[in-house]
Amino acid sequence: MRLLLAPHRREEVLGDMHEEFAWQVRQSGERRARRRYWLDVLGFMKPRFLKRRETEQLPNSTFQLPMIRNYITIAFRQLWKNQLFSALNITGLTVGLAVSTFIALYVWHEFHYDRFEPFAGRTYRVISFAKYAGQDVSFPNFHESFGVQVKKQLPDVAEVVRISDGFEAILQQKNGQAFKEEGIGFADGPTLTTFGYKTLYGDPATALTTPGRIVLTRQLAEKYFGNTNPVGQTIIYDKHYPLTVSAVLDDLPTNSVIRFKALVSLASMPSLGAFHQNIYKAAGFLSTYLVLRPDVRVQQVAKKLEKVNKGLNFMDASSKFELEALPTLHLDSRTVSKETRQSLYILLTISLVILALAVINYISLTTARATKRAREVGVRKAIGGQRSELIAQFFTESFLTTTMAFALSLLLLQLLFPWANNALDLDMDNRVLTQGPYWGLMLGLWLGCSLLAGGYPALLLSRFRPALVLKGATTWRQSGTGVRQIFTTVQFTASIGLLICSLVLYSQMRYLRTRNLGINREQIVALTIDSEMKPQFGGLRDAIRQWAGPENVAVSNTALFTNRVSTWFMQTEKTKKQVMLNALTVDKQFFALLGAKWAYKPVSWDNGAIGKELTIFNQTVMKEAGIAGNPLQQPAPFKGQQTDGVIADFHISGLQGPVSPVMFSVVSDTNRTILAQNAYLMVKLRPHTDVPQAMDQL
């Protein structure tokens, strides 16, 4: 047997031969081994064989393409030959890529809010803040006159855009069915062009400049007018006020803090009834955005806003102002919890951990199979295979595996994206999957995983020494064992950590679902009552009382656990402390319906209907006012208010903070007092009720 090897392989093979010679001495006897050894050496050293080997080498240009084809063929053969192993590897990488990509896509979506607007780099939202109750209280909404004066007095401001967060409103096509819609906002003329919304129909420059105009999103336009162009058509606002459709917008980006379903021109507001007139005249309801001129210092503009504030009747003269850049509003605004950004970093870390687990799993499985590939490596090296060629072979197999996993993860992500988005209540849509950053992320993950997953196995398997492998020595079998042990430890540690985090999160969510709020809101339905139902409200309420039972029906002026509860700023008489007070107007049955407990029940509460309006505070108000003992026998906590009773604390909003101070005004005539604006009729369904059937009956 003569070995035909390239010159640069002599020393390595000679060293391997010396080791093989020692093994042969032990196995076949010294004389036979010595003969085979010198025959191999003499054959290897003959110049004619070396010369023939050099002349047989092909140029690189004709050598690479067949070799690449050979790599791919062998890689497919290995995958097909080891189907279970291949399935485990591909499945692990597929799930890891799909899950980590989904999480990373959500994090990217959250970090890229409001970057699509043409003037995003120069657009700022105005926010005012003042000290109340010893803390800074922020106000992101302003009166209509504020934006007008800013435009007049500050030449540094190129444009002022005012837009409301949106109201509930009843919309109706002429002679069509009426629907109660949320997110019907108001905005002035420059809104559409400044924010760069894509317009399907109509002129964005003039769509909101005159009274009596409404701009619809695609969703509402198709709901009321089908697939036709609705510009010029009439839609009825709140049953009485016709508005002309002036434009239709394409679906709004989901990564924007400005959300609405339709926009009514701000100039229309005074003509839409008494409710909207009062808001327009005296309320702060508009988010005000300033587009600054280039090279203007933001801090100087914020100071100049204080001078604008001095001449307005609807602002606190002590307020300070801050300009918040539009792209920072989602995560870094004063009104946003600082924990939001931390949560995104945690999610990104989890995504990287899951991806690392998938890659480590691939590496561990591949190196664990090294014993089955070792003889292949030994034979290929013995007949002249170079280490670089072996590395290329193993990298080809890695790229092939990760490419298949990449394709399957794309398919899995596309199929499960709508379900996961709805199940987790995430604010994304399928358009995210068609954007350039998504494909850039997937391409980066594919290349990164291919290099990481194929690097270590390729280096490990390609360094096996042929003499040791072919003679069955045991030392090479330990190759990679230490690294695999480290990988296994890391895998178990990370997996156990993720399981613990999942259990902690589950227990927290379970705690939020099962914690005692101080009231029982199970089986309670809140029905919105329009103020125009005032003449029929008594009959409706009595009919529902007869259907559900008198003790199961109550009325309030607002729904609990929403951001619509009124907030008052009041100073306590005893401690002179400023308190942010939530105020609700309710009827007598409200407390019994919710199962609230009394700390101090009003006098004659159990003697039937009340004859006058009563003022009930919760226990937190008494603590803030410094009142101990029986509050019914002490001065009221606030000037001009009386204390008729004290109710035990219960949450009327989320559990993220403590119970807020609350004042309840209990009235006897709900038609007159509560129905001045919209009201909420609360109905408690009986246990074991068929809820869909009960809702149909209501």
Side-chain angles (χ1 to χ4, degrees), residues 311-322:
L312 299 177
N313 297 326
F314 303 97
M315 294 287 293
D316 187 342
S318 64
S319 295
K320 304 295 182 182
F321 290 88
E322 185 176 325

Side-chain angles (χ1 to χ4, degrees), residues 4 40 124 174 189 225 230 244 303 325 357 365 421 423 428 444-445 514 539 555 587 605 658 695:
L4 306 180
D40 289 337
Y124 296 84
K174 271 191 173 181
F225 300 100
T244 302
K303 291 182 178 179
L357 288 176
L365 289 175
N421 203 29
M428 293 192 296
L445 286 176
T514 60
V555 182
D587 66 351
W605 180 263
M695 294 297 293

Side-chain angles (χ1 to χ4, degrees), residues 18 98 104 237 330 365 426 483 691 697:
H18 283 294
Y237 183 90
H330 181 60
L365 289 175
L426 302 180
V483 176
V691 176
Q697 294 175 1

Side-chain angles (χ1 to χ4, degrees), residues 16 19-20 375 464-477:
D16 292 341
E19 293 180 8
E20 186 176 358
R375 295 190 181 277
F464 288 159
R465 301 185 68 178
L468 297 176
V469 171
L470 295 176
K471 72 182 181 182
T474 58
T475 55
W476 64 268
R477 297 178 184 271

Side-chain angles (χ1 to χ4, degrees), residues 595-628:
K597 297 180 180 179
W598 288 101
Y600 295 93
K601 189 179 294 186
V603 178
S604 304
W605 180 263
D606 297 325
N607 295 338
I610 59 176
K612 64 173 184 176
E613 182 174 327
L614 302 178
T615 301
I616 308 296
F617 297 102
N618 67 352
Q619 291 174 312
T620 300
V621 173
M622 299 297 116
K623 295 176 184 177
E624 296 288 344
I627 298 176

